[in-house]
Every structure is written in structure tokens, then in C-alpha cells.
Amino acid sequence: MPNCIFCDIIQRKMSAKIVFEDSYSLAFEDINPKAPTHILIIPKRHIESVNAMTEEDELALGRLFLVARDLAQERKINRSGFRTVINTGHNAGQSVFHVHLHLLGGRPMAWPPG
Ligand code: 5GP
Ligand code: ZN
């Protein structure tokens, strides 16, 4: 996978504020946070987007939500509420083509998103 910044973060070729890691996933602070809590949770396997998912990715991608649940609890936003988002493709504004779950919280959020 040529020039994937998130793979570089997994391999520690690029720095990031890593907050969690296990065999399937890595979580780190978003470099340009849009909320008091803004963490990106990614599978360690390079998957370009939800469009590129296969059945083999089921476990790894499910894990992202369990990590989000635990981090939301840790940041004490589980009761106030939080948003988990995966952008896919141009219209959704996907800018990094390695699947990532945004965990956003710590402030009220509008719906629908802009
Ligand atoms: P997307 O727009 O693809 O859904 O989200 C990409 C996210 O990755 C953005 O929120 C952006 O701020 C974040 N991001 C882009 N490059 C880096 C980086 O090098 N380090 C970190 N920590 N976050 C990044
Ligand atoms: Zn990657």
C-alpha cells in the first residue's frame, strides 16, 4: 500500500499520540480535532475503505467499535454521548484511504452532519 500515513503510524514511521493498541487495532488522537475528544481507531490491516471490506475483515472492524466503547468510557463521554463515524469516498469527505472510525465527543453535535 503506497504512501499510507496510517500504516506509517502503525509502523511507528510517523508519530502520533497513540492511546490504545491491540493485535487488530490502533487508536490515536486526530491531528486536527473537531471535538474535545476526537480519536481515530483503525484496523492494523490496510483496508482502503468500507467499499474494500471483505468477510475476513469482519472481526477487525467489529473490534473498532469495542475500542470506541472503551475509550468513550475512559474519556467519560459514554453518558453524555458521542459520535462514531466512518467516511467513505468523495461525497462523505474521506481524505485518508485506510479505514478509520472517528470517535467524537465532549460537546453537543448537530444532526444531520454538514
Ligand atoms: P477522513 O476525512 O478521511 O474521514 O478523516 C481523516 C482524519 O485524519 C482527519 O480528521 C484528519 O485530521 C486526520 N489526519 C490526517 N492526517 C493525520 C496525521 O498525520 N495524524 C493524525 N493523527 N491524524 C491525521
Ligand atoms: Zn494503510
Side-chain angles (χ1 to χ4, degrees):
M1 68 280 341
N3 300 330
C4 174
I5 51 174
F6 288 178
C7 282
D8 285 349
I9 288 174
I10 293 167
Q11 291 160 25
R12 310 304 203 264
K13 290 181 189 160
M14 189 161 163
S15 67
K17 279 192 201 162
I18 292 169
V19 297
F20 178 81
E21 179 170 26
D22 67 11
S23 54
Y24 286 110
S25 62
L26 185 77
F28 50 94
E29 305 280 353
D30 195 292
I31 204 167
N32 183 17
K34 299 289 191 286
T37 292
H38 189 174
I39 296 170
L40 301 175
I41 309 162
I42 66 174
K44 283 195 166 170
R45 197 173 100 74
H46 179 86
I47 307 163
E48 266 197 16
S49 75
V50 169
N51 283 329
M53 277 175 65
T54 69
E55 265 75 36
E56 283 171 32
D57 299 320
E58 219 174 334
L59 205 60
L61 295 175
R63 177 66 63 91
L64 305 187
F65 281 93
L66 293 176
V67 174
R69 175 202 61 186
D70 291 346
L71 291 171
Q73 218 165 41
E74 201 179 290
R75 299 293 170 105
K76 301 191 184 339
I77 54 170
N78 55 320
R79 284 167 170 270
S80 53
F82 56 88
R83 188 166 287 171
T84 39
V85 179
I86 298 179
N87 294 317
T88 303
H90 180 261
N91 273 1
Q94 184 179 5
S95 61
V96 178
F97 286 81
H98 180 133
V99 168
H100 46 283
L101 182 66
H102 294 259
L103 169 65
L104 295 144
R107 65 165 174 81
M109 273 169 274
W111 189 263

